Amino acid sequence: MTATIAIDDAAPPRAARRLLTGFFVGLGVVMAVWGARMPAVQAAAHLGPGRLAVVLLAAAAGMVAGLQIGGRLAQRHGPARLLVAPAIVFGLSLGALGQCRSLTSLCVVAVAFGLAHGLLDVGVNAAAVQCQHEFGRSIMSGLHAAYSLGALAGAGLAAATTWVSHQVVFAAVAAAVALAAAAAWPKVRHIQALDQHPGSEEHSDSGGPKGLSRSTMWLLGSLAAACLLAEGAANDWAAVHLRHLDASESVAASAYAFYSAAMAAGRLLGDRFTARFGAVTVVRAGALIASAGLAAGLLANSAPAALAGWMALGLGLSTAVPSLITAAGRGGPRAVGTVAATGYIGLLAGPAAIGALASILTLPTALVLPAVLAAVVAVTARRALES
């Protein structure tokens, strides 16, 4: 999400790729700053884990609505139209969240935050699919790596500014995102030519998209949901977990930075390892690393071990979702959309579910859930990816 991306009319797909990379980076920055400074938001509004879960659920509800509305708008008008305005609202709503001091105000603004997030997510991913079509080769992994690098930068920013109130940090990030998105509007107009490319709507006899059975499609979606639940847990609960272990605010804020760094490294190297060892081997080995690493970090009950556990989770699951989406691509665009939408259930509902479990049990016990689901991914990866 940057105003400095040059547009080369002779190579519109490359120009679109650079522009979309900026939007993916911006998404990562905002989500990381929000997640890393969550303890400060929680303290300012005097929220326990259960009430914080309500705020996260409000954001999730807004995002579900944004995804649904955004899908219809992108189908009718093209995804490029869902970039600038949602990005501006997304940034400004982060600034508004920093000013909230009650559960009610946080929930109201969180709905707007989630709504803008959903609209923008549909826009950047749908536009990326069309851009990838123009390239004739896969670029989606690189774009999602840009999101991880943006998240790393945002988490690093949050950790480095713990001496500054979260209201100021949120306001500064909000202003930067909104201004960059507004400045990018002339450039976004150049990629609207990539908006529309017809996709296959053929179906197999089993009722699913052609080349992919319905059971396989839902298995891929379920595994994507498990992976994205872990990502949501890291984004919303890693910092809270470190504070639970009496880590300093700066150390707690760095937890998501460690997770994002490991995730980015895995995504940058994932294509090379997949080409050499195969998707099934890489996903299974990574999921086992994620499960064992997070479980060990939780059992050790210390801040250094917890940081290592979150890093293992990010590294281990870094290639899982791209591989699942690639497998879904055998069924055409409809299958990819179904698997991605199912995956978001984990991202949206997972953090709230962990909060609810933490209010009944304890936070470390609730965080065992992502470790268990990573183990499920390891066990079922072969069936899903080779079906």
Side-chain angles (χ1 to χ4, degrees):
M1 199 174 303
T2 173
T4 61
I5 301 172
I7 293 296
D8 180 2
D9 290 333
R14 295 185 183 277
R17 181 183 183 180
R18 291 194 295 271
L19 183 63
L20 292 173
T21 297
F23 277 95
F24 272 102
V25 169
L27 265 171
V29 169
V30 172
M31 292 306 297
V33 169
W34 164 241
R37 297 304 297 268
M38 189 77 69
V41 175
Q42 183 180 11
H46 307 289
L47 303 178
R51 290 194 170 193
L52 181 59
V54 173
V55 175
L56 299 177
L57 187 60
M63 189 175 183
V64 168
L67 290 168
Q68 292 178 337
I69 296 171
R72 289 193 291 267
L73 291 176
Q75 180 69 28
R76 179 174 299 179
H77 303 292
R81 299 177 187 272
L82 295 178
L83 297 178
V84 174
I88 292 174
V89 176
F90 188 47
L92 294 180
S93 59
L94 176 68
L97 284 168
Q99 306 303 315
C100 296
R101 293 294 180 274
S102 69
L103 176 62
T104 301
S105 60
L106 276 170
C107 287
V108 171
V109 179
V111 170
F113 181 74
L115 179 66
H117 186 190
L119 292 171
L120 181 58
D121 194 271
V122 169
V124 295
N125 279 291
V129 168
Q130 309 308 340
C131 186
Q132 180 170 264
H133 177 90
E134 291 292 315
F135 266 90
R137 59 182 174 85
S138 176
I139 62 170
M140 190 69 75
S141 179
L143 290 173
H144 282 261
Y147 174 90
S148 296
L149 292 172
L152 174 61
L157 172 65
T161 56
T162 53
W163 55 276
V164 180
S165 70
H166 73 284
Q167 299 99 308
V168 174
V169 175
F170 283 12
V173 172
V177 168
L179 289 174
W185 166 242
K187 301 173 180 63
V188 169
R189 295 176 62 188
H190 286 259
I191 72 169
Q192 290 188 7
L194 304 181
D195 272 348
Q196 300 296 334
H197 286 291
S200 172
E201 292 296 332
E202 296 179 349
H203 301 272
S204 65
D205 293 337
S206 62
K210 186 175 182 179
L212 199 68
S213 69
R214 184 176 296 277
S215 61
T216 299
M217 182 174 65
W218 286 113
L219 177 59
L220 291 169
S222 298
L223 296 185
C227 295
L228 290 177
L229 183 148
E231 182 172 339
N235 186 42
D236 292 334
W237 290 107
V240 179
H241 177 218
L242 268 291
R243 289 294 286 166
H244 179 83
L245 296 173
D246 296 323
S248 66
E249 187 173 352
S250 61
V251 171
S254 69
Y256 191 65
F258 279 88
Y259 171 87
S260 298
M263 175 71 76
R267 284 180 172 172
L268 289 172
L269 298 173
D271 289 336
R272 183 179 304 173
F273 281 106
T274 299
R276 182 172 182 179
F277 301 108
V280 172
T281 299
V282 173
V283 170
R284 291 184 72 181
L288 288 173
I289 291 172
S291 179
L294 180 59
L298 294 171
L299 289 173
N301 201 37
S302 70
L307 287 174
W310 288 112
M311 286 186 69
L313 185 71
L315 178 65
L317 294 181
S318 59
T319 63
V321 171
S323 295
L324 293 169
I325 294 297
T326 299
R330 282 174 273 172
R334 182 185 176 193
V336 172
T338 300
V339 169
T342 307
Y344 274 117
I345 295 175
L347 181 66
L348 298 174
I354 289 173
L357 287 174
S359 65
I360 299 172
L361 304 170
T362 65
L363 180 58
T365 302
L367 290 173
V368 171
L369 179 60
V372 171
L373 292 177
V376 172
V377 172
V379 171
T380 56
R382 181 177 299 278
R383 178 185 173 189
L385 297 176
E386 291 187 348
S387 294

